[in-house]
Amino acid sequence: MKLILWAGAIVGAIALVVLLVMVGGLLPPQTIKLVEGYMPMQLLAELAFFVGVFALISYLLKQNGLGIPRFWQGLSFWIFILLYLTYRIYPPIPFSVRALFGTVAMVGVFMWVSGAEEDWKEFKKPILNVLDAVTPFHKALRTFYLIAIPIILWGFSYNSFLPNLDEPIELRTVHPAPPASTKVHGKTFVLQTSSNPYRVSPEGKYDQEYTNTLITEQSMGRLLKPDANPWDPKAEGYLKFVREGGEIFFQNCHFCHGDNLNGRGLHAFAFNPIPANFTDPGTLAQLQETFVFWRVAKGGIGLPREAFPWASVMPPWEQHLTTDEIWKVVLFEYWHTGYYPRTWD
Amino acid sequence: MGGLTRNKTLSIMALGAMIGLLLLPIVVSMPALAGGGGTPAAGGPPPDVAKKADTPEAAKVEKGRDVYYKTEGIVSGAPAPKTADNPQFYPRYNFESRVLLWFANQQHLYYGSFVLAVPIFCMIIEFMGIISKDKAMAKKYDQLAYDFIKISLTAYSLTAILGGILIFTFLTLYPAFFGYLSSIFRPVMHIYALLFVAESGTIYIYYYGWDRMKEGLLKWIHVSMSVVLNVIGTTLMFLANSWIGFMMSPAGVDEQGRYLGNIWHSIHTALWNPLNVHRLLGNMAFGGGVVAAYAAYRFLASKTDEERAHYDWMGYIAMAIGVAFLIPLPFAGYWLMREVYAYRQQMGITLMGGLLAWLFIIQATMIGILFLSANYYLWQAMGRMRGAEKYQRYIKYMVFVLVCGFLIFITPHTMVMTPTELKAMGGQQHPVLGNYGVMSAKNGGINVIITTTVLSFIWYARGNKVPMVSWARFGNIFMGCFFGMAYINIIWLAIYGYYIPANVRVGLSVPQVATTLSCLFFMTALNLVMLKGAKHSGAIEWGKISVRSQYALIMLATAFTWMMGLMGYIRSSVRLFWHVNEIMRDNSPWAYTHTTGFAANMISFNVLFFWLTILFVFFLATLGVKKAPVEAKVTVPGRVPEPATH
């Protein structure tokens, strides 16, 4: 058992060193990659692994009379989390989210070190030692803090008064509430009840379940389902409409939204923000098909008042496409990403 | 035994008679309700209609179509006023009228919630005292219920005063809107007033009759009165909810807002029932939080061990009741949101994905704080039990699970970032964290948090006990497997939610919630059975708890208050520029949505004001204390008050 524990601790320590080396830049940052498609769970699993490693190392050191004081355990674990958030996750997380995560992690560390009375006493000990100046070293440290803390606070204050040349942060409403109905080419569409006229079964009736079975696979490869190739010359009905939608997409939309529909088109980075990434589970998958129809038809200029700051340069496609063409493009986008349009039932 | 049965029968009869008498006004007014209560038009029917009544055309009645129920009804009210931005419709001071109304409304709601929740606690605790076989414990429960109602009595007067202020604010600043609303709800408002009188009478008899009705049959009648009190209080709240339900999802009127004669339609709108359930649970959780904060305040100010022991115990009971109602609250909120989406898609999107989405991130943060505080309090509370150390060593792992659930729950889908960060990230959605920003992950997060809270409660309940049943080992393994499977099921469903259509994904919340509730009910029940005849490793040393635990209770109460203010604001502002959604437009200069920062400051101000005034109420409650709060011993060996969830 002891051997297993030591083996676990050594493996964990190696992983920790590899991570720190990646953080330090001695190894490329993505030496151990976050696997696309599994990244959210991999992140949680990695953190759980490191919690286990820390607990194991701490336990073994304590067993051998080399226990790390609770104060340093708490502090070092919190620093580890901050480093992990800053350097491990790619692309980099915005400061606002790092601050949020860092604060919650700090609260978590506090809950851990003060959960039991003995732990709390142990945690407070080094702090109280400094405050009480129990040794000359602690006294020197206390004097240092007395001088350093006001200087640090002064530094923060000074920084906050410096002119900031960055563009201001805007809280953008990505999915503004749609109107109850929208008028396109003289026809009114009620968003709650309308449906895509091309989402049809072989009998020509609206059938979401049938069409859902023909979309690409939802795994990262986005492979065609068997016998569901829209580019097959014999494809009819729904698949034929998908192909027609695809043709319209590649003639008009892919310059910005990208040929993989991930918002990384040829012109994408000329815009701020860049175009919507349809492969993200938070865009098309969250929306009713009629919502997408409305957004495509009306474009950025047709966004409602509450969609401030209206940060979208998408043209109102009703000026360039027919209603049928817009529906077909929407059909294609859902087919290609492998997501199902939202329905309310 | 026979006497007890006779007493119970008599008390049930007394209870029935009292309920019957108190509900008499409603029964009497029922024919009027069914008939629509006459003509509830603002200021009577329009003059042209009144003139027509004498003419032969009077026989020809105008019919309208209900905007929600789609039924036809006889038009029996004036259209909703079309207001304009002038002092006739919106009289004003040199200040934003909406903010004044917001303040008056919020304070009334805080106190209203508190005085509706506390009698429910009293009812539960007084009943626990009656059925308790241990006389010392029975006395403690009785004293506790009395302490609770004493606090709520002063708050009750303040609620009535604030209600008056609220109505004056409506009448003076929004006369056109209030006139229209009261024209629709005229009969309801009268019943509301009558019920308020009945509530006042009952609460005073209940409070002042406490000592006289402390024995035998009279005690049963006394506890029955608390039932009546709560029936009236809950009905009052339901009636008030019908007004806000009507404002959000109007029914019983046609497109012009003309009343169609069926008051039940106007009351029973699309969102009425979800609002009722959500508010009832919310009030209970809030009331528990406030009483727990009161106990914490008294604990911290205590000078003797007896006082500390009493207020420690009081805080624990209040917290347990509050958390018991907090646990189902997210599910009730989920149902409310589902109904909002079903009623109007754009309203749902405005709330969850659009204009008000940022406020939901703040709400998620507050919910997380509530659960973290409750767990932290329970871990601290283990410190007053000998033998609980064996569970304390797992705190770090529970913290990890809670923090992971919390982080997923609060991760915004669209992040706040500078344009430079946006470019570095390559889009609005982060490829890793963006996945935590959608409902599927968040459902997983909150269910993990709640399940962990249930586990904390179970560990707390067995802190100083060792199960002695012959199948204890099997029971522990079963319990461990059950929780393990619950976590796996919740997380698996959260992941699976990404691979299925949205309407199916919404349905996944049902098995997730069922898993969490199974842990709550089955495991708590199993734990109780396992602990029958358990060996005690020591008594609970009431009062010997860290001060940090008391700050956790204060944190819990403050978070409740803040969240209640926030959710009230969200619910109200989702109507955007409508007084009554799609029926009566708000044409005042304040028909815009405040910035998130302004709203947060306003909520904080309301919270601060409430806490300052409630501290005064607490202070008044201490003035009446003439004797030591407890006569029973500080520690009661072998007796552990169980949380209300048990």
Side-chain angles (χ1 to χ4, degrees), chain A residues 34 37-41 43-44 47-48 51-52 55 70 77 89-98 100-101 104-105 107-112 114-117 119-120 166-180 191-192 208 212 218-219 264 269 272-274 277 280-283 285-288 290-291 305-307 339-345, chain B residues 338 341-347 349-350 353-356 358 361 365 371-373 375-376 379-380 383 392 395-397 399-400 402-404 406-408 410-436 438-440 491 495 498-506 545-546 548 576-577 582 585 591 593 596:
Chain A
L34 284 169
Y38 299 98
M39 294 176 293
M41 287 317 292
L43 186 148
L44 292 176
L47 285 175
V51 166
R70 191 62 92 209
F77 186 70
I89 302 173
Y90 188 83
I93 314 172
F95 173 76
S96 66
V97 180
R98 256 186 298 134
L100 195 71
F101 279 33
V104 173
V107 171
V109 168
F110 170 78
M111 288 171 72
W112 158 42
S114 66
E117 197 56 36
D119 285 345
W120 179 234
D166 288 342
E167 290 174 66
I169 293 171
E170 284 171 343
L171 293 179
R172 185 167 172 250
T173 306
V174 174
H175 301 316
L191 268 62
Q192 190 99 344
Q208 185 162 337
N212 282 349
Q218 283 190 21
S219 59
R264 309 288 197 276
F269 290 95
N272 179 16
I274 66 165
N277 172 6
D280 185 278
T283 54
Q286 299 294 320
L287 301 170
Q288 214 179 338
T290 49
F291 184 104
R305 283 196 300 180
E306 61 265 29
Y339 291 129
Y340 311 105
R342 177 163 226 144
T343 52
W344 312 101
D345 51 11
Chain B
R338 196 190 151 111
Y341 267 100
Y343 172 68
R344 283 289 182 278
Q345 182 194 181
Q346 61 264 53
M347 199 182 252
I349 293 178
T350 300
L355 188 65
L356 302 171
W358 281 103
I361 294 293
T365 311
F371 280 105
L372 256 58
S373 305
N375 277 280
Y376 186 71
W379 303 335
Q380 294 297 307
Q392 284 186 326
I395 285 176
K396 53 179 169 286
Y397 304 113
V399 169
F400 178 72
L402 282 171
V403 165
C404 285
F406 186 28
L407 287 178
I408 290 168
I410 62 171
T411 303
H413 185 229
T414 307
M415 294 165 183
V416 181
M417 52 194 156
T418 61
T420 319
E421 287 173 325
L422 180 97
K423 280 171 195 152
M425 209 171 91
Q428 286 281 333
Q429 279 85 30
H430 194 280
V432 185
L433 301 185
N435 291 284
Y436 300 144
V438 294
M439 213 58 214
S440 196
I491 295 167
I495 298 168
Y498 286 91
Y499 296 92
I500 49 173
N503 59 331
V504 185
R505 180 165 62 238
V506 170
I545 190 169
S546 71
R548 297 190 301 286
L576 300 176
F577 43 83
E582 297 169 11
R585 201 179 165 110
T593 305
T596 306

Side-chain angles (χ1 to χ4, degrees), chain A residues 13-247:
Chain A
I14 292 169
L16 198 61
V17 169
V18 170
L19 187 82
L20 291 175
V21 168
M22 283 196 313
V23 165
L26 297 172
L27 271 177
Q30 288 293 297
T31 305
I32 298 173
K33 283 187 176 165
L34 284 169
V35 183
E36 206 178 341
Y38 299 98
M39 294 176 293
M41 287 317 292
Q42 189 186 344
L43 186 148
L44 292 176
E46 277 187 18
L47 285 175
F49 170 75
F50 282 116
V51 166
V53 166
F54 279 118
L56 192 59
I57 292 174
S58 167
Y59 171 76
L60 289 173
L61 288 176
K62 200 175 175 182
Q63 290 290 306
N64 291 283
L66 296 167
I68 306 167
R70 191 62 92 209
F71 177 81
W72 294 110
Q73 284 182 15
L75 194 66
S76 54
F77 186 70
W78 185 57
I79 292 170
F80 164 77
I81 294 289
L82 294 183
L83 290 175
Y84 185 92
L85 292 173
T86 312
Y87 296 103
R88 172 70 179 132
I89 302 173
Y90 188 83
I93 314 172
F95 173 76
S96 66
V97 180
R98 256 186 298 134
L100 195 71
F101 279 33
T103 309
V104 173
M106 188 167 68
V107 171
V109 168
F110 170 78
M111 288 171 72
W112 158 42
V113 297
S114 66
E117 197 56 36
E118 287 307 310
D119 285 345
W120 179 234
K121 276 183 191 158
E122 199 189 325
F123 179 80
K124 282 191 304 185
K125 208 174 165 191
I127 302 170
L128 293 177
N129 283 348
V130 172
L131 290 175
D132 294 339
V134 290
T135 64
F137 171 71
H138 288 115
K139 195 172 182 181
L141 211 53
R142 188 174 70 175
T143 313
F144 169 73
Y145 284 136
L146 196 69
I147 298 164
I149 290 173
I151 292 174
I152 291 166
L153 290 177
W154 171 81
F156 277 121
S157 310
Y158 178 79
N159 256 345
S160 70
F161 279 103
L162 284 178
N164 188 355
L165 301 177
D166 288 342
E167 290 174 66
I169 293 171
E170 284 171 343
L171 293 179
R172 185 167 172 250
T173 306
V174 174
H175 301 316
S181 61
T182 185
K183 202 170 191 176
V184 180
H185 294 302
K187 193 180 171 192
T188 301
F189 295 88
V190 178
L191 268 62
Q192 190 99 344
T193 52
S194 296
S195 55
N196 192 332
Y198 297 104
R199 190 171 284 285
V200 289
S201 64
E203 292 79 38
K205 288 183 183 166
Y206 179 83
D207 191 339
Q208 185 162 337
E209 278 185 32
Y210 165 76
T211 55
N212 282 349
T213 57
L214 300 178
I215 59 172
T216 58
E217 279 181 6
Q218 283 190 21
S219 59
M220 294 312 292
R222 302 197 190 283
L223 303 172
L224 293 179
K225 293 268 177 69
D227 304 323
N229 180 6
W231 277 269
D232 182 340
K234 286 182 279 182
E236 281 303 319
Y238 165 74
L239 288 173
K240 180 170 156 276
F241 301 136
V242 166
R243 182 178 65 215
E244 288 170 7
E247 284 164 5

